[in-house]
Amino acid sequence: MPDKGNDTDDDANAPLPRMSKEKAEEWAKHWTVSMARTAKAEIEPETDPDLPAAKFTNCIGKNNESADDGRFTLRYSVRAKLPQPQHADALYAVRDALKEQGLEIQDFRTDPKVSPPNLLYAKHPKDQQFISVRDSDEEHLVLIVSTPCLLPPDAEQKQF
């Protein structure tokens, strides 16, 4: 993720990290490919044009503020093929790799008594990206990367 500058979590006008939508999508794709490789899973190609891997949305602030300066968030989601008996081992491997990268594990389980049985949530403490891995069905995991609010490189950040 790009450098966030000297911001604080409580300052609505703190400098936002800067990244283009194209770079954000490349970055998120890299994360999902890396997680799939760690899980020994194969990412399936997109088959539904109504459900693209990359979904960009406008940023909404803590107090429901919204700016028209181009800021955005990205949710990048893919399905990875892996037989269900390997899901738990895959999540352990991804969890360990994410911890090595400095992410904090927010939730983790491999429990066949609950639904979904395999679930992992992680967040980077500084850069604020969010990672999720969970069962989709008997043959797939869903890998998700979400960015914090990003501002395009050439945009002027609106102040509140």
Side-chain angles (χ1 to χ4, degrees):
M1 287 295 297
D3 183 36
K4 292 173 88 172
N6 298 324
D7 62 325
T8 64
D9 289 337
D10 296 330
D11 183 0
N13 293 311
L16 293 172
R18 292 184 176 267
M19 188 180 286
S20 69
K21 286 184 175 181
E22 294 79 14
K23 289 287 184 193
E25 187 171 349
E26 284 177 27
W27 174 85
K29 182 177 182 179
H30 168 78
W31 271 94
T32 57
V33 167
S34 178
M35 287 189 295
R37 184 175 44 251
T38 299
K40 298 181 178 154
E42 182 180 334
I43 293 177
E44 293 199 330
E46 294 177 44
T47 57
D48 186 346
D50 292 329
L51 295 171
K55 182 178 180 188
F56 294 95
T57 56
N58 294 328
C59 297
I60 304 296
K62 281 192 241 180
N63 300 314
N64 288 326
E65 65 270 11
S66 178
D68 59 359
D69 55 8
R71 60 184 74 185
F72 65 92
T73 60
L74 167 62
R75 182 180 186 272
Y76 191 87
S77 174
V78 296
R79 286 172 29 112
K81 188 170 181 129
L82 186 70
Q84 201 286 328
Q86 297 173 27
H87 287 192
D89 288 342
L91 263 72
Y92 279 110
V94 171
R95 179 198 65 186
D96 293 347
L98 292 175
K99 285 169 81 174
E100 286 178 20
Q101 296 279 338
L103 280 86
E104 295 174 347
I105 305 305
Q106 307 286 304
D107 195 4
F108 179 83
R109 73 168 177 247
T110 58
D111 184 350
K113 298 177 193 134
V114 295
S115 181
N118 299 292
L119 176 75
L120 166 63
Y121 293 132
K123 188 173 186 178
H124 194 283
K126 179 181 177 235
D127 297 335
Q128 301 298 306
Q129 69 260 33
F130 179 77
I131 305 287
S132 171
V133 181
R134 65 172 172 78
D135 294 319
S136 173
D137 57 39
E138 295 291 319
E139 294 293 319
H140 296 91
L141 294 171
V142 174
L143 311 173
I144 300 170
V145 176
S146 299
T147 69
C149 188
L150 299 171
L151 191 66
D154 296 332
E156 184 175 330
Q157 184 172 335
K158 180 180 176 183
Q159 302 294 298
F160 291 100

